[in-house]
Amino acid sequence: MRSFRALLAKEIRVAFRGRHLVGVGFGLAIVLSATLGFSLAGTKVGERVIASLLWIIVMFSSSDTLSRSFAKEEDEGTADQLRLRVPMPSVFLAKTLANAFFVLLIACVVFPLLCFWLGVRLSALPLVGLLVLIGCPALSFAQGFVGYLMSRGRALSAAYPVIVMPVILPLLVCLVLATSQALAEGTFSINLVVVIISESLAALVAGLVLVPYIEEE
Amino acid sequence: MLFGRILSVLTPLTMIPSIVYCLMFTPKEATMGDLYRIIYFHIPCAWVATLAFFISFVFSIAYLAKRKPVYDSIAHRSSEAGLVFCVLATITGSIFATYTWGSPWNWDPRETSIVFLLMIYIAYLLLRWLIEDRDKKAAISAGYSIIAFLATPFLVFVMPRITSSLHPEQVGGLGLTRPMLYGVFGMLAGFTFLYLWILSLSQRFDMEEI
């Protein structure tokens, strides 16, 4: 548990010191939100479109932070040290949780910007905020294991979005549906939230179980 | 080998009479006439695709547990076969949708689900294609197949039930009579044997290579 906490703290520290999260993650989120805000200025944008834009920007801005984090350990030669000292499922969990935190931070940038530029009703904000709180860790858990797999092969990083997208698409669709309901009707289907939580937890647990088997290779 | 020979006899023995029965001896459907007969191909294709992806999932788990190349080969070939049947289910579904709902594509939850399934297994094959080392390819793709299959129950069973659908079973049932159901079951058996035959043939080629 102590090594897990230390690893989680290290992940967060390293991400803030490095250039990728701030430069690419936040940068991409702001540029994409501003571009879309400018492109759609003066037009009436439906709730479904706003919800889709929100989650697509969050997903693309944070898509490769996790696989990059695993790959960095391999590149710097620290991965073997890590394997010797900490059980691999703990490493996987720490990196996935740190990534969930980064995705949430990126969403905290994208969400107010989009709401401001696209004129979202203020009354819908608490519910959408709740969905962002549920959805960001869910997205991170769902793509965690694929991010880990991608770091195992050299040629795979370029294909990451193509390979991870189909796995998280059902989750993304549920998030878009729930968010658009929250924006339009001020409520959302609890079934959608159940699907979001159960699918992401299933992916996280499967990842934790499978990591040692992949490590054997 | 023997399994393949048995399937090479069983497949035509079930498929040919079933096709003849479905096209010539089953009655016309009250509202759709002869158009409904496409379901004799659409339902078995969708069933076999789901079965193939499930078998790929099971053998991926078996590969990670035992590390036998034959399990990786079955998982891989089953995904390929599943993808072919998934494409056929999409095409037959689109033909049916054109005449019943007026458009080949309506973003119905089941249509959306099948697109997601196609994307998942295209990504799986892309992943295998990108890795050259045989052991690494087998282990990584087995992991991906397992995590990808976890999305399948949500796509096939959950999504169509939590969102409104145009599909017949959601809007009053298929309305099939007993002779029509015999046709559907015959075709289901025929397509299942065909899939198993394809799987045994392609897997035999792999084993010869190894």
Side-chain angles (χ1 to χ4, degrees):
Chain A
M1 196 62 197
R2 235 175 61 194
S3 55
F4 166 74
R5 275 206 307 268
L7 202 61
L8 185 62
K10 180 214 110 184
E11 283 301 319
I12 293 171
R13 237 184 0 254
V14 167
F16 279 108
R17 274 194 208 141
R19 281 166 288 223
H20 187 75
L21 177 69
V22 179
V24 180
F26 290 134
L28 196 62
I30 294 167
V31 168
L32 282 175
S33 311
T35 310
L36 286 166
F38 174 73
S39 313
L40 297 168
T43 51
K44 177 93 183 96
V45 185
E47 285 82 9
R48 192 78 170 257
V49 178
I50 297 175
S52 308
L53 292 177
L54 168 70
W55 288 109
I56 287 170
I57 296 173
V58 168
M59 206 212 67
F60 273 104
S61 308
S62 61
S63 66
D64 69 338
T65 45
L66 188 60
S67 71
R68 190 174 287 271
S69 159
F70 279 112
K72 203 171 161 223
E73 303 278 5
E74 300 286 343
D75 291 343
E76 291 174 357
T78 50
D80 291 336
Q81 289 288 327
L82 214 55
R83 283 186 191 105
L84 283 174
R85 284 159 202 271
V86 189
M88 210 46 205
S90 299
V91 177
F92 172 74
L93 188 62
K95 284 185 184 288
T96 308
L97 284 179
N99 188 60
F101 176 64
F102 304 141
V103 178
L104 198 59
L105 284 183
I106 288 171
C108 288
V109 174
V110 175
F111 177 49
L113 284 178
L114 272 186
C115 290
F116 176 68
W117 277 322
L118 300 180
V120 172
R121 281 185 304 118
L122 285 176
S123 60
L125 295 188
L127 267 185
V128 181
L130 180 66
L131 283 171
V132 167
L133 269 179
I134 298 168
C136 291
L139 265 184
S140 182
F141 294 168
Q143 58 182 318
F145 184 63
V146 181
Y148 161 75
L149 286 179
M150 295 297 103
S151 70
R152 309 287 301 164
R154 289 254 160 238
L156 297 177
S157 55
Y160 181 74
V162 182
I163 289 166
V164 80
M165 268 296 272
V167 177
I168 59 169
L169 264 177
L171 197 69
L172 208 59
V173 168
C174 290
L175 283 169
V176 169
L177 287 176
T179 310
S180 60
Q181 282 175 3
L183 288 169
E185 301 155 23
T187 179
F188 54 76
S189 161
I190 198 73
N191 287 341
L192 288 170
V193 178
V194 171
V195 172
I196 292 165
I197 293 173
S198 51
E199 196 187 340
S200 60
L201 285 181
L204 180 70
V205 172
L208 285 169
V209 173
L210 291 173
V211 161
Y213 290 96
I214 304 290
E215 281 296 307
E216 269 177 35
E217 172 272 319
Chain B
M1 199 76 158
L2 180 68
F3 185 57
R5 285 218 180 116
I6 292 170
L7 286 168
S8 70
V9 177
L10 264 181
T11 307
L13 266 183
T14 43
M15 277 204 95
I16 296 168
S18 298
I19 291 172
V20 172
Y21 175 74
C22 291
L23 294 182
M24 300 182 73
F25 296 101
T26 51
K28 279 187 182 180
E29 207 272 336
T31 48
M32 286 181 277
D34 281 324
L35 174 71
Y36 91 97
R37 288 182 207 277
I38 203 161
I39 66 157
Y40 292 124
F41 297 91
H42 176 66
I43 294 174
C45 284
W47 149 252
V48 168
T50 312
L51 176 72
F53 295 146
F54 178 69
I55 286 182
S56 172
F57 164 72
V58 170
F59 278 91
S60 296
I61 294 175
Y63 176 78
L64 285 182
K66 304 274 182 200
R67 302 279 161 171
K68 287 187 179 170
V70 64
Y71 294 154
D72 173 56
S73 160
I74 295 173
H76 171 212
R77 296 304 179 183
S78 188
S79 293
E80 279 182 344
L83 196 61
V84 171
F85 283 104
C86 203
V87 169
L88 290 174
T90 311
I91 294 169
T92 49
S94 290
I95 295 169
F96 188 72
T98 306
Y99 292 100
T100 50
W101 306 328
S103 158
W105 202 261
N106 303 279
W107 289 111
D108 173 79
R110 282 209 190 273
E111 289 177 336
T112 313
S113 301
I114 212 159
V115 169
F116 288 176
L117 272 182
L118 283 172
M119 286 168 69
I120 285 174
Y121 286 93
I122 288 171
Y124 168 82
L125 295 178
L126 174 71
L127 184 68
R128 289 190 70 93
W129 181 65
L130 285 172
I131 308 168
E132 294 202 357
D133 180 84
R134 187 172 290 190
D135 292 336
K136 193 172 255 186
K137 180 193 292 197
I140 292 179
S141 56
Y144 185 79
S145 171
I146 294 167
I147 210 83
F149 190 80
L150 285 181
T152 310
F154 290 97
L155 292 172
V156 177
F157 302 111
V158 181
M159 286 278 283
R161 279 165 184 80
I162 59 170
T163 46
S164 56
S165 174
L166 296 166
H167 249 75
E169 71 266 39
Q170 252 100 355
V171 287
L174 285 167
L176 297 181
T177 60
R178 200 171 279 264
M180 293 173 184
L181 279 176
Y182 292 149
V184 169
F185 288 130
M187 291 299 272
L188 280 174
F191 270 79
T192 307
F193 291 139
L194 177 66
Y195 152 70
L196 291 173
W197 189 24
I198 292 170
L199 183 63
S200 79
L201 283 176
S202 54
Q203 195 264 324
R204 211 165 72 205
F205 286 128
D206 274 357
M207 286 301 100
E208 276 167 17
E209 234 176 68
I210 292 169

